[in-house]
Amino acid sequence: MQRTENYMVMEFLSRSSNESFARTAVATFAAQLDPTLDEIGDIKTAVSEAVTNSIVHGYPNTLGKIVVKVRILEKNTLEISVRDWGCGIENIDKAREPMFTTGGEERSGMGFTIMESFTDRMRVKSSVGRGTTVVMQKRIAPRMR
Amino acid sequence: MEVIAMCRERTLELKLRGELDHHGACGLLTKLEREIESALPSELVMDFRGVTFMDSAGIAVALRGWQRMRELGGSVVLRGVSAQARKVLETAGVGRMMTIE
Ligand SMILES: Nc1ncnc2c1ncn2[C@@H]1O[C@H](COP(=O)(O)OP(=O)(O)O)[C@@H](O)[C@H]1O
Ligand SMILES: [Mg+2]
């Protein structure tokens, strides 16, 4: 168990207009780790994918609660968890495969692949009818000044 | 997000402005298809200079453009793509199908 140096929690309704808000808020909180522009881009993209999944797939025909928790752990590590109480994922391994989607034609099936490659570590917990939690960790390398 | 379409000598240029996520992309695929259908271009240029953020929603848009242009025997160029958007496109190997500038 790593020590938590700082954290923030936010809760919002699964409206698509909150996608932009959520990724910007997480990036702003992460700014205290002095990330590079590339690292900020990675964080925003990964958060955008996770939050969009909760909005689009977790709550397909309804509005529900999404909670995003961000922790700063030892060794400059950022941990982001995105949780919904929506429909859940039946087969997580299948869902994580590149190009796999149960969505319409405006989905690419690349969300999990992006979350995985833009962070250092990604875990998915889900149960059908109960919801989904995605936890991502990213180490922000300290910079020389 | 905002789309401005311009057609000159069978080159259809679509200038995109704003954030290309699931929220911003709403209606964009339909608009893209409609513009291609009416212009029947030999080249599609999507100008990303005004795109301030892009996630996997942009992959679907680029691939749809590529699909339609392939049916017409034409090509696709993505212009003014930021480092962040390029990294997203590359996770799907989009650079192997069209030119990313
Ligand atoms: N929060 C979620 N709730 C329910 N299903 C999900 C959730 N996140 C992902 N999924 C499932 O995993 C699939 C793959 O997700 P992803 O890689 O982001 O691709 P896409 O969103 O383009 O479909 C989705 O199509 C969906 O079936
Ligand atoms: Mg997704």
Side-chain angles (χ1 to χ4, degrees):
Chain A
M1 195 62 191
Q2 282 177 288
R3 199 175 69 217
T4 303
E5 310 260 353
N6 196 4
Y7 76 87
M8 73 97 151
V9 181
M10 57 181 182
E11 175 185 323
F12 52 89
L13 198 59
S14 62
R15 288 201 185 279
S16 64
S17 54
N18 286 327
E19 290 160 8
S20 176
F21 158 72
R23 62 177 177 259
T24 308
V26 174
T28 306
F29 182 75
Q32 61 195 285
L33 289 174
D34 194 24
T36 62
L37 271 180
D38 283 349
E39 287 166 337
I40 293 172
D42 290 352
I43 293 164
K44 279 189 177 174
T45 313
V47 170
S48 194
E49 296 297 343
V51 168
T52 301
N53 279 355
S54 290
I55 292 171
V56 174
H57 306 297
Y59 301 111
N61 303 307
T62 137
L63 289 171
K65 177 168 88 167
I66 297 174
V67 170
V68 175
K69 196 168 175 176
V70 186
R71 295 200 295 159
I72 290 172
L73 306 172
E74 294 162 68
K75 301 198 193 83
N76 274 34
T77 301
L78 193 68
E79 185 187 81
I80 305 159
S81 86
V82 177
R83 181 169 187 191
D84 66 62
W85 287 261
C87 66
I89 303 173
E90 227 175 84
N91 184 338
I92 297 174
D93 290 339
K94 187 102 209 135
R96 290 178 68 149
E97 280 173 16
M99 313 297 245
F100 176 85
T101 180
T102 57
E105 48 184 13
E106 75 282 359
R107 313 297 327 147
S108 62
M110 293 303 292
F112 278 135
T113 306
I114 288 172
M115 288 182 247
E116 211 165 344
S117 63
F118 284 40
T119 63
D120 299 323
R121 184 160 172 230
M122 180 192 70
R123 281 171 294 154
V124 184
K125 288 176 274 180
S126 189
S127 80
V128 173
R130 287 166 168 255
T132 303
T133 306
V134 174
V135 183
M136 297 175 280
Q137 282 196 0
K138 189 174 179 67
R139 182 159 188 269
I140 307 299
R143 280 196 277 171
M144 293 297 176
R145 297 167 177 280
Chain B
M1 81 178 308
E2 195 189 334
V3 186
I4 302 165
M6 243 177 19
C7 195
R8 206 185 299 123
E9 290 170 11
R10 304 210 57 213
T11 293
L12 173 63
E13 190 178 326
L14 295 180
K15 276 195 168 66
L16 309 177
R17 278 181 64 131
E19 298 190 301
L20 211 181
D21 58 7
H22 156 257
H23 182 71
C26 175
L28 187 55
L29 284 181
T30 319
K31 167 111 179 133
L32 172 71
E33 305 219 310
R34 223 186 294 123
E35 293 294 346
I36 292 175
E37 233 87 294
S38 74
L40 296 176
S42 57
E43 187 183 46
L44 170 67
V45 178
M46 287 194 254
D47 187 341
F48 279 74
R49 272 177 303 180
V51 175
T52 50
F53 173 82
M54 192 194 91
D55 66 14
S56 68
I59 297 174
V61 172
L63 290 181
R64 179 58 58 84
W66 175 76
Q67 223 168 18
R68 287 288 169 271
M69 289 309 294
R70 198 179 51 163
E71 287 162 14
L72 294 175
S75 58
V76 180
V77 178
L78 308 182
R79 187 164 290 159
V81 178
S82 72
Q84 184 269 331
R86 181 183 296 263
K87 194 170 170 185
V88 170
L89 292 167
E90 286 306 348
T91 59
V94 169
R96 290 195 298 270
M97 297 169 218
M98 55 198 107
T99 310
I100 304 178
E101 293 178 345

